[in-house]
Structure formats: C-alpha cells, structure tokens
Amino acid sequence: MQFRAKLVSWAEIEKWCRNIGKQVINSGFIPEAIIGLSRGGLVPARMLSDRLWIKDLYAVKTEHWGFTATKDGKAVLKRQGDPNINGKRVLVLDDITDTGESMKLAFDYIKSLSPAEIRTSTMLHITRSSFKPDFYSEEINEEKWAWFIFPWNVYEDLDNLIGRSMVVPSSASDIENILKDDYNISFADVDLPMLLNDLVDSGRLKLEKGKYSK
Ligand code: AMP
C-alpha cells in the first residue's frame, strides 16, 4: 500500500457540517460573517451559512497541497480582494486541518483585516496539525491518517491516484483492485465505471476495447 485514501460521502459531509453548526450554537458564539477557505472549505462554508442563517459569506484562497497527497511546498495565500469583516465576528471554515499551515496562514491574514472575533472550524482535524480549530467534527490520530477524497474533489483525486498506480491498460474492475491494493479504497457505494467514463469524457483517460489507459 502506498498510503490510505478514503472516499467521503455526501451523507458524511452533512453529518459533519451539522455537527459543527451545533457546536457553534452551543458555544454561544454568534458569527456575523463566514469565510470559506478556497477550495476545500467552500462547500462546508456554504452549508454553515445556511445552518447559521448568515448571508455574509466570503472566500479566501490558500494553496498548499498540489496533486493528491503531494505537498506543493509552503502554504501560500492568494489574495482576491479582502473580505469586508472589519469589526465583525467571523467563523472560518475549511475541510481538514492536516499540517495546519493553511489555516494558520489564513487566520493571520483574516486577523489583519480587524474582525471583532475569529473562530475557526474544520470537518476533520488530524491530531498532528500545528493549528487546532475551535470547532471540528472528527479528530483523527496520525496513525489513522488518510487522504480524504471529498465529493467535490473526486475526479482530480481519482485521476491522480490512477495515474500513479495504473501501469497497463486496465478494465474498471482491474482499476478498482489496483486502487484497493495501493490505497485501501473501498468503492462499495460508488459507481466507479461512471466516474471512469466521466474521466474519459474530460480527456483524462482513454477507453479502448473495455480497457482504460492514461
Ligand atoms: P494543511 O495546510 O496541511 O492543513 O492542508 C491544506 C489543505 O489541503 C486542506 O484544506 C485540504 O483541502 C487539503 N488536504 C490536506 N490534507 C488532506 C487530507 N489528508 N485529505 C484530503 N485533503 C487534504
């Protein structure tokens, strides 16, 4: 096995975001604005904007991990116009704190915009992270580390994992077995042939005589 990867379902996303919403409400913190870290925190931020009845929703872009499970180097912030949060109570959302560098970088930047208060939250928090969010749904020990394939990143991640592991043209069930062996991925609830055909449509895979290749 190269490393573990886990396919995340929409039901898990809903459960984790609802859990964060509950924690925020129970804490007594009443956010006036939400910031999603782009791209992984965008969907959770939108879901919390609905759950907490907050229309003031912004995005801040950070980049750290390049291709699936490969770090790009240092986390970098991409400024795209500053959120208007001066004097406001702000809730920041991301999908996961892994090294924690992206959240730390975003936190320092957001703080420089003079909000009244900042709280941070992620759906998943790896214990080794140098940054601990105020609210998170699941804590994951370092030994349980996996690359989480979120529903909004499924094509990019599958494409990269297949690219690393597939050496000869392979059928859908061969690919399923290769990904199981190399990443311990379970495709029980996922229509892998449909996703593979979507990758063919996007020009990321070729399909000839029932076999996929790069
Ligand atoms: P980090 O700066 O290491 O805390 O992670 C920055 C971003 O990279 C996260 O917000 C995710 O979008 C992505 N990422 C990092 N680690 C993982 C992981 N184990 N599974 C899925 N995405 C990850």
Side-chain angles (χ1 to χ4, degrees):
M1 188 166 70
Q2 301 204 29
F3 56 84
R4 255 195 317 270
K6 188 188 172 312
L7 276 162
V8 172
S9 68
W10 282 111
E12 285 171 303
I13 302 293
E14 284 175 14
K15 182 179 79 181
W16 295 337
C17 287
R18 191 175 305 117
N19 188 343
I20 292 172
K22 261 213 163 71
Q23 289 182 44
V24 173
I25 291 166
N26 291 342
S27 76
F29 179 67
I30 303 176
E32 296 164 291
I34 291 187
I35 298 180
L37 300 196
S38 174
R39 295 177 295 156
L42 290 182
V43 177
R46 181 62 183 89
M47 290 171 84
L48 267 295
S49 134
D50 184 34
R51 178 69 188 88
L52 300 174
W53 303 87
I54 298 165
K55 282 197 166 170
D56 218 355
L57 175 62
Y58 300 96
V60 163
K61 185 159 173 59
T62 58
E63 279 181 9
H64 189 191
W65 295 72
F67 292 126
T68 308
T70 328
K71 272 189 234 160
D72 258 351
K74 273 171 82 86
V76 287
L77 187 86
K78 307 264 166 144
R79 287 176 80 151
Q80 300 171 313
D82 295 337
N84 179 16
I85 52 164
N86 192 323
K88 289 186 185 158
R89 290 181 301 271
V90 176
L91 179 67
V92 183
L93 259 299
D94 204 359
D95 46 5
I96 179 168
T97 25
D98 189 334
T99 64
E101 285 175 37
S102 302
M103 187 59 106
K104 170 81 176 81
L105 188 73
F107 182 88
D108 290 344
Y109 162 63
I110 291 164
K111 202 167 160 203
S112 77
L113 303 176
S114 310
E117 284 180 71
I118 312 174
R119 297 285 188 283
T120 54
S121 61
T122 54
M123 297 186 300
L124 308 175
H125 171 59
I126 312 263
T127 48
R128 69 161 180 206
S129 166
S130 60
F131 190 103
K132 189 166 185 181
D134 298 294
F135 312 106
Y136 51 86
S137 186
E138 307 278 323
E139 185 170 63
I140 293 151
N141 287 330
E142 208 175 331
E143 311 83 69
K144 293 259 170 72
W145 185 94
W147 183 262
F148 292 89
I149 304 176
F150 297 107
W152 46 81
N153 216 52
V154 69
Y155 293 113
E156 184 183 312
D157 283 339
L158 275 185
D159 185 49
N160 285 317
L161 296 181
I162 290 168
R164 283 175 193 223
S165 288
M166 185 176 65
V167 280
V168 292
S170 312
S171 66
S173 65
D174 291 339
I175 292 177
E176 182 169 344
N177 289 330
I178 292 167
L179 295 179
K180 253 189 204 141
D181 286 348
D182 280 0
Y183 309 102
N184 200 27
I185 303 185
S186 160
F187 286 96
D189 304 319
V190 176
D191 187 342
L192 181 61
M194 181 192 76
L195 296 177
L196 294 175
N197 287 338
D198 290 345
L199 286 173
V200 173
D201 290 344
S202 315
R204 308 296 310 193
L205 289 178
K206 290 191 210 83
L207 176 61
E208 267 175 72
K209 297 181 187 152
K211 302 234 172 179
Y212 298 88
S213 59
K214 270 298 204 180

